[in-house]
Amino acid sequence: MSDDSLVFMMGKFEAKFPTDRQYAKNHTWASRSEQGYRFGFTAYAVRLLQDVYFLEWNVDAPCLVRQSQEIGFIESSKAESDLYAPLAGQLTAFNPALLNDPSQINLDMYGAGWLYEIDGPGDELMSPDEYLTHLAAVWEVTQRTIKGQLNE
């Protein structure tokens, strides 16, 4: 990972985003790999999820996936969420280490905590600057959602 990072402030928390990769609207990062793109959760997603303790995939690799197709499920101390493919293509691999110990997502989100690889064109991926603009646009709604959950 590059030392160059952009920062998005989530209240008092700094979410850092390396500039050596691209980003998807589902709050995953993408870096080029031998199998297309390797994806993992961004610091923004990990901060909202907090401690990930369960991960399950609904599909088996290799398989073709559509953009926004549900491919799995995650549980954490703060949320339960379906996981969706950030782009269309051939899902070539899952990170096998995460099935036994998904805590790597919390410990090394931009490295050993990667989720899966998809071989596809990646036209819908954003630059780091575009992703920060996207975060600024959704942050207000996210804060209201978090506060609503805290007040329930």
Side-chain angles (χ1 to χ4, degrees):
M1 181 175 80
S2 166
D3 289 341
D4 294 333
S5 298
L6 297 177
V7 174
F8 181 80
M9 295 303 297
M10 298 175 70
K12 295 179 183 177
F13 177 78
E14 284 188 358
K16 293 186 179 182
F17 304 97
T19 57
D20 64 350
R21 56 199 71 207
Q22 293 175 285
Y23 295 88
K25 287 186 177 183
N26 71 344
H27 306 297
T28 55
W29 54 263
S31 65
R32 287 303 258 163
S33 73
E34 292 178 16
Q35 299 298 319
Y37 289 96
R38 178 171 280 184
F39 289 89
F41 287 123
T42 66
Y44 181 90
V46 171
R47 177 68 178 168
L48 293 178
L49 288 167
Q50 298 205 1
D51 295 321
V52 174
Y53 59 80
F54 182 76
L55 177 65
E56 183 172 290
W57 301 113
N58 298 347
V59 296
D60 293 319
C63 69
L64 288 174
V65 293
R66 297 177 318 278
Q67 182 178 1
S68 302
Q69 176 182 336
E70 184 179 326
I71 59 171
F73 182 81
I74 194 163
E75 290 182 22
S76 72
S77 60
K78 293 287 181 189
E80 296 178 5
S81 181
D82 293 327
L83 300 174
Y84 300 93
L87 57 89
Q90 177 84 7
L91 194 150
T92 57
F94 290 109
N95 183 345
L98 294 185
L99 289 177
N100 294 329
D101 182 14
S103 69
Q104 283 301 310
I105 293 168
N106 309 311
L107 301 173
D108 189 11
M109 71 195 82
Y110 292 116
W114 67 273
L115 299 166
Y116 47 81
E117 293 183 340
I118 297 177
D119 187 7
D123 296 339
E124 50 281 288
L125 298 174
M126 296 178 277
S127 71
D129 288 323
E130 290 168 331
Y131 182 60
L132 261 58
T133 299
H134 170 67
L135 289 181
V138 300
W139 179 237
E140 188 174 325
V141 172
T142 301
Q143 289 182 89
R144 283 198 305 266
T145 302
I146 293 169
K147 288 175 184 172
Q149 288 172 351
L150 295 175
N151 294 329
E152 288 179 356

